[in-house]
């Protein structure tokens, strides 16, 4: 199985800060990488698919990049509604696997 | 508007069975791959099973293979997950998710249903 790791596991930043989350795959997954946001008590929501494409309705302050084994999710200007846990997920090979998550809080 | 709504969760003893349902609307259900993803309390996300949109192919995680069966009724726009031989470690919120054009990307999720396996 392809293992996904994320760093940091949690972060605290101020409103307006630029925030970057890193996701690493144990094998080359090309660009088959998605990002999801989960706010407390809610279902996950798709943010970014295929490494860099924003899902419908996702604010442009979110962006993704990377390839093969190294990927990043960036929030250009952190907003209060961005608190939650962010997961990366690969879909290059079954079983699809998720990273352990990065919890984002407001300082 | 895409809507997914799970039902059928609850408390079950180890070794027991449960069937989850997911009612879908707002898209062409019959041609869309659908999946189940679960989340144990306080833990991360785990893909459980996928039913392809065309051809009827199913895929399941090794952790549930032989115990869980995914199925669908396109006439009712409903996805199912039949769970047998349940274990304590199956305790989780189970989400129904719609796959995007390419399977493996979940563009819409239901609110989830809690399955608690405990004696």
């Amino acid at each position: 199985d392809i293992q996904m790791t994320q760093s940091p596991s949690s972060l605290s930043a101020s409103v307006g800060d630029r925030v970057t989350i890193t996701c690493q795959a144990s094998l080359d997954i090309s660009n088959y990488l998605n990002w999801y946001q989960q706010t407390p008590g809610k279902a996950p929501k798709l943010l970014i698919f295929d490494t860099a494409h924003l899902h419908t309705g996702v604010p442009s302050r979110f962006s993704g990049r990377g390839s093969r084994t190294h990927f990043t999710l960036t929030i250009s200007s952190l907003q209060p509604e961005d608190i939650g846990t962010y997961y990366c997920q690969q879909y290059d090979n079954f079983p699809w696997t998720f990273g352990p998550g990065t919890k984002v809080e407001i300082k | 508007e895409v809507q997914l709504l799970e039902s059928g969760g609850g408390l079950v003893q180890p070794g027991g069975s449960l069937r989850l349902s997911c009612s879908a609307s707002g898209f062409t259900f019959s041609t869309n791959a659908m999946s189940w993803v679960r989340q144990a309390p306080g833990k991360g996300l785990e893909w459980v099973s996928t039913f392809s949109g065309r051809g009827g192919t199913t895929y399941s995680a090794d952790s549930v293979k032989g115990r869980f069966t995914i199925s669908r009724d396109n006439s009712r726009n409903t996805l199912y997950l039949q769970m047998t031989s349940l274990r304590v470690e199956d305790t989780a919120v189970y989400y129904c998710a719609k796959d995007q054009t390419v399977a493996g990307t979940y563009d819409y999720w239901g609110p989830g249903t809690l399955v608690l396996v405990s004696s």
Side-chain angles (χ1 to χ4, degrees), chain A residues 18-83:
Chain A
R18 183 180 184 87
V19 168
T20 296
I21 299 169
T22 298
C23 175
Q24 200 116 2
S26 62
L27 292 173
D28 184 344
I29 58 169
S30 185
N31 68 327
Y32 298 117
L33 190 283
N34 302 320
W35 290 96
Y36 300 87
Q37 175 198 49
Q38 186 176 34
T39 51
K42 300 289 189 181
K45 290 183 180 178
L46 177 65
L47 284 179
I48 289 173
F49 62 96
D50 292 352
T51 297
H53 296 89
L54 259 60
H55 182 48
T56 306
V58 173
S60 59
R61 63 180 180 274
F62 291 93
S63 65
R65 59 184 301 169
S67 66
R68 302 184 68 176
T69 62
H70 189 266
F71 303 86
T72 58
L73 171 70
T74 298
I75 308 173
S76 61
S77 177
L78 188 68
Q79 299 301 303
E81 59 267 31
D82 298 337
I83 60 166

Side-chain angles (χ1 to χ4, degrees), chain A residues 1 34 36 38 41-46 49-50 55-56 87 89-91 94-100, chain B residues 37 39 43-47 50 59 61-62 95 99-100 102-112:
Chain A
D1 297 2
N34 302 320
Y36 300 87
Q38 186 176 34
K42 300 289 189 181
K45 290 183 180 178
L46 177 65
F49 62 96
D50 292 352
H55 182 48
T56 306
Y87 295 93
Q89 175 235 343
Q90 68 81 20
Y91 64 104
F94 274 117
W96 311 145
T97 46
F98 292 85
Chain B
V37 177
Q39 186 171 35
K43 302 295 185 182
L45 300 167
E46 180 188 15
W47 168 75
T50 293
Y59 310 86
D62 285 347
Y95 296 104
D99 285 64
Q100 208 184 41
V102 176
T105 295
Y106 312 118
D107 54 0
Y108 294 94
W109 300 61

Side-chain angles (χ1 to χ4, degrees), chain A residues 10-20 75 77-80 82-83 103-107:
Chain A
S10 67
L11 66 90
S12 181
S14 300
V15 172
D17 281 355
R18 183 180 184 87
V19 168
T20 296
I75 308 173
S77 177
L78 188 68
Q79 299 301 303
D82 298 337
I83 60 166
K103 188 173 183 179
V104 174
E105 297 175 325
I106 299 290
K107 198 180 290 184

Side-chain angles (χ1 to χ4, degrees), chain B residues 24-94:
Chain B
S25 62
F27 64 100
T28 307
F29 180 80
S30 60
T31 59
N32 217 100
M34 297 291 297
S35 298
W36 290 98
V37 177
R38 69 183 180 183
Q39 186 171 35
K43 302 295 185 182
L45 300 167
E46 180 188 15
W47 168 75
V48 174
S49 196
T50 293
F51 200 118
S52 68
R54 300 180 190 273
T57 306
T58 63
Y59 310 86
S60 292
D62 285 347
S63 58
V64 306
K65 209 167 282 185
R67 301 188 300 122
F68 291 10
T69 302
I70 189 172
S71 63
R72 63 194 295 163
D73 183 341
N74 290 336
S75 68
R76 296 175 182 269
N77 283 3
T78 302
L79 180 74
Y80 301 101
L81 186 67
Q82 179 68 49
M83 304 185 294
T84 63
S85 301
L86 281 161
R87 305 167 180 168
V88 170
E89 55 265 34
D90 294 319
T91 293
V93 174
Y94 284 73

